[in-house]
């Protein structure tokens, strides 16, 4: 099983705590799920179930098809697999995805699922993460989480105020895509072998910092983009990072997805405040890593995300600096209206200011779409994801914010 909890401790950078508590450990369930395993790992599992070596490749192909093309949830449905093997597999394994504990459907069609995951301690409540499906006319985007909470404390982000953190496993990450297909009836069946799928795009923009859970994210995305399985192309998968510089080039080499950078500020002093990880990896280093992103071209541009915070980062001077900073990088700029959450200390920029900002960038030659907030009525918009059981008290929130802001 690709379970790799990566213990880290808080990192001190120039006297400030950039990251929070160490990661929790993960306790796998008694019967592990086959979801999230590579073909080689799957071959080992069926070897344990008694399949002779010369049959394993063929059996793996069959299982892969049933799990990732047809989306079955029981071994009993795998009709071309021998009864004896199905019984043997059933004894040792499951094809479980994370448990869905709630589904909310917004008036704009956005759907949010609350998922339950085992925690590190039997006595403790299980962890929860969220995942969101956003239907649009030409695509359906699934926003996927990579961690329970986030070890980073961006001051405008709800997820960042969450206490508990553990890395999701590859199975729990790929499992979110499978849950979306389950709930939307989006698997290939006999009636719709070539039918259009609803989930066409993936954005790693849910809870957590995907580049701090590198191996599991890489393994999950290899499964999601596998042509003989879920088959969502890497060009339709976007990984968003707050700027974990050492892993950016690695992501280009080992994951090969599209890249989005949460920039949000054009000066280090402000970015230190908004995205405290900037103290460790300042803007110049971050942009250098972007310039070196493998496969970068005009056809494969990097998206720079910029949350519009009233009176904080939304002046025309900021827009000018932004254009200067990105010179020479094939880039798109995505302006995100700030999504307020209970207890947040920022306001969203006024609409005409967002328009002026966007116009400046557009006139400088950048595509600058303003991301329309979706699913606001079900708190499903960017940066609002947070598990229900992890709400912090106002005092704890204040302490966290102070921790992120103090120098
Ligand atoms: N940790 C990764 C991916 C998850 S956050 C990252 O930071 O990139 C996905 C995007 O939502 C990021 O650009 C993040 O900065 C933005 N975001 C977080 N909180 C937000 C909020 N309250 N309103 C708007 N965007 C927010
Ligand atoms: Fe973590 Fe991203 Fe939120 Fe920052 S914006 S706290 S990196 S999830």
């Amino acid at each position: 099983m690709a379970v790799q909890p990566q213990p880290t401790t808080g990192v001190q950078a120039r006297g400030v705590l950039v990251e929070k508590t160490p990661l929790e450990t993960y306790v796998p369930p008694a019967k592990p799920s086959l979801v999230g395993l590579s073909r080689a790992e799957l071959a080992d599992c069926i070897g344990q179930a008694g399949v002779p070596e010369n049959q394993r490749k063929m059996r793996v192909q069959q299982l892969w098809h049933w799990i990732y093309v047809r989306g079955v949830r029981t071994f009993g449905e795998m009709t071309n697999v021998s009864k004896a093997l199905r019984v043997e597999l059933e004894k040792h394994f499951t094809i479980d995805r994370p448990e869905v504990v709630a589904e909310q459907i917004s008036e704009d069609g956005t759907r949010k699922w609350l998922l339950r995951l085992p925690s590190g301690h039997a006595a403790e409540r299980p962890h929860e993460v969220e995942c969101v499906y956003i239907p649009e006319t030409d695509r359906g985007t699934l926003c996927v989480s990579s961690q329970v909470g986030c070890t980073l404390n961006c001051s405008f982000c709800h997820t960042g105020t969450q206490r508990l953190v553990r890395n999701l496993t590859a199975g729990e990450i790929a499992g979110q895509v499978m849950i979306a297909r389950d709930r939307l009836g989006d698997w290939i069946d006999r009636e719709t072998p070539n039918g259009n799928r609803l989930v066409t795009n993936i954005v790693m923009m849910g809870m957590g910092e995907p580049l701090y859970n590198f191996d599991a994210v890489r393994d999950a995305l290899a499964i999601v983009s596998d042509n003989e399985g879920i088959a969502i192309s890497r060009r339709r998968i976007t990984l968003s990072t707050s700027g974990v510089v050492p892993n950016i080039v690695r992501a280009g080499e080992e994951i090969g997805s599209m890249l989005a950078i949460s920039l949000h500020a054009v000066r280090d002093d402000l970015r230190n405040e908004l995205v405290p990880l900037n103290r460790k990896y300042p803007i110049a280093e971050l942009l250098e890593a972007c310039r070196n992103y493998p496969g970068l071209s005009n056809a494969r541009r990097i998206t720079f995300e910029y949350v519009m915070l009233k009176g904080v980062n939304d002046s025309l001077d900021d827009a000018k600096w932004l254009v200067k900073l990105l010179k020479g990088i094939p880039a798109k700029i995505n302006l995100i209206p700030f999504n307020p959450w209970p207890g947040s200390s920022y306001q969203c920029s006024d609409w005409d200011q967002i328009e002026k900002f966007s116009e400046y960038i557009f006139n400088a030659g950048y595509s600058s779409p303003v991301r329309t907030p979706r699913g606001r009525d079900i708190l499903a918009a960017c940066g609002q994801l947070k598990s229900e059981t992890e709400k912090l008290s106002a005092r704890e929130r204040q302490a966290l914010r102070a921790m992120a802001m103090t120098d």
Side-chain angles (χ1 to χ4, degrees):
M1 190 86 204
V3 180
Q4 291 176 340
Q6 299 168 352
T8 60
T9 45
V11 173
Q12 292 285 131
R14 288 178 217 146
V16 174
L17 192 69
V18 171
E19 295 165 45
K20 288 184 289 210
T21 46
L23 298 188
E24 302 248 318
T25 44
Y26 164 68
V27 178
K31 269 208 285 183
S33 172
L34 296 183
V35 169
L37 301 190
S38 66
R39 284 187 170 82
E41 289 167 323
L42 212 45
D44 284 347
C45 286
I46 61 172
Q48 286 163 32
V51 174
E53 196 155 0
N54 62 357
Q55 286 183 21
R56 284 184 207 159
K57 198 167 171 209
M58 179 266 291
R59 292 293 181 208
V60 165
Q61 284 302 95
Q62 287 177 328
L63 285 173
W64 198 268
H65 180 85
W66 283 112
I67 298 174
Y68 297 118
V69 176
R70 304 293 293 276
V72 301
R73 277 176 269 182
T74 60
F75 293 107
E77 292 164 81
M78 301 181 172
T79 46
N80 62 353
V81 175
S82 76
K83 181 104 193 284
L85 178 56
R86 281 189 263 157
V87 170
E88 204 50 36
L89 288 171
E90 184 82 56
K91 267 194 221 154
H92 303 286
F93 305 106
T94 69
I95 325 171
D96 288 349
R97 306 77 157 102
E99 183 192 350
V100 180
V101 282
E103 176 178 65
Q104 283 177 283
I105 304 179
S106 159
E107 53 197 23
D108 68 15
T110 300
R111 290 183 191 223
K112 181 169 86 169
W113 296 287
L114 179 66
L115 312 177
R116 186 174 287 158
L117 312 166
S119 70
H121 311 281
E124 212 174 67
R125 271 194 295 205
H127 292 321
E128 289 169 352
V129 286
E130 292 177 330
C131 132
V132 176
Y133 171 69
I134 306 148
E136 286 169 283
T137 40
D138 61 337
R139 67 183 64 189
T141 304
L142 189 71
C143 180
V144 170
S145 293
S146 57
Q147 296 182 311
V148 180
C150 184
T151 53
L152 304 173
N153 304 306
C154 301
S155 52
F156 54 88
C157 172
H158 207 194
T159 307
T161 64
Q162 191 160 318
R163 229 178 337 199
L164 286 179
V165 173
R166 88 156 162 81
N167 279 330
L168 300 196
T169 65
E172 290 165 341
I173 297 169
Q176 294 171 57
V177 182
M178 300 174 75
I179 284 170
R181 285 210 164 156
D182 292 343
R183 303 296 304 177
L184 297 166
D186 198 28
W187 290 106
I188 291 178
D189 56 26
R190 270 186 236 291
E191 282 81 52
T192 60
N194 305 311
N196 289 334
R197 306 267 74 84
L198 293 172
V199 179
T200 60
N201 292 55
I202 305 286
V203 290
M204 295 302 302
M205 292 186 188
M207 295 162 67
E209 168 48 60
L211 291 188
Y212 272 151
N213 185 13
F214 191 92
D215 292 1
V217 167
R218 176 198 57 206
D219 296 348
L221 295 181
I223 289 172
V224 168
S225 59
D226 188 294
N227 263 336
E228 290 164 18
I230 294 173
I232 297 176
S233 130
R234 286 166 201 266
R235 302 291 297 268
R236 289 178 171 269
I237 299 176
T238 302
L239 190 149
S240 172
T241 179
S242 56
V244 185
V245 164
N247 284 347
I248 288 180
V249 171
R250 230 187 123 195
E253 282 162 358
E254 296 178 39
I255 301 176
S257 62
M258 305 299 281
L259 182 68
I261 301 285
S262 295
L263 191 63
H264 306 319
V266 291
R267 300 185 323 267
D268 279 322
D269 58 342
L270 180 59
R271 194 163 190 270
N272 286 347
E273 217 177 88
L274 301 178
V275 184
L277 187 66
N278 193 70
R279 296 168 191 272
K280 209 169 160 192
Y281 305 118
I283 294 174
E285 275 180 41
L286 175 58
L287 295 182
E288 191 51 28
C290 291
R291 285 195 178 86
N292 296 328
Y293 190 66
L296 187 61
S297 67
N298 269 333
R300 277 191 88 210
R301 283 180 280 176
I302 294 179
T303 301
F304 288 86
E305 294 161 282
Y306 197 94
V307 63
M308 299 299 292
L309 301 169
K310 185 173 180 167
V312 175
N313 64 354
D314 63 351
S315 72
L316 282 186
D317 262 0
D318 290 303
K320 278 179 202 163
W321 268 109
L322 183 57
V323 167
K324 272 197 192 137
L325 273 182
L326 299 187
K327 200 154 185 259
I329 305 178
K332 281 185 276 192
I333 298 165
N334 203 338
L335 301 179
I336 318 175
F338 170 63
N339 290 306
W341 36 271
S344 63
S345 54
Y346 297 101
Q347 284 175 292
C348 181
S349 307
D350 294 331
W351 196 249
D352 62 316
Q353 189 60 23
I354 297 182
E355 276 185 346
K356 277 186 206 146
F357 199 100
S358 162
E359 206 175 276
Y360 183 88
I361 290 168
F362 181 79
N363 289 337
Y366 289 97
S367 137
S368 60
V370 179
R371 194 186 294 165
T372 328
R374 299 289 304 269
R376 269 193 161 168
D377 52 335
I378 57 169
L379 277 186
C382 252
Q384 291 182 324
L385 303 187
K386 186 164 191 300
S387 84
E388 284 302 309
T389 51
E390 285 302 321
K391 302 268 188 254
L392 296 183
S393 69
R395 239 179 63 218
E396 287 169 312
R397 268 202 308 269
Q398 216 174 18
L400 259 180
R401 222 177 291 131
M403 199 163 85
M405 304 282 220
T406 36
D407 213 321

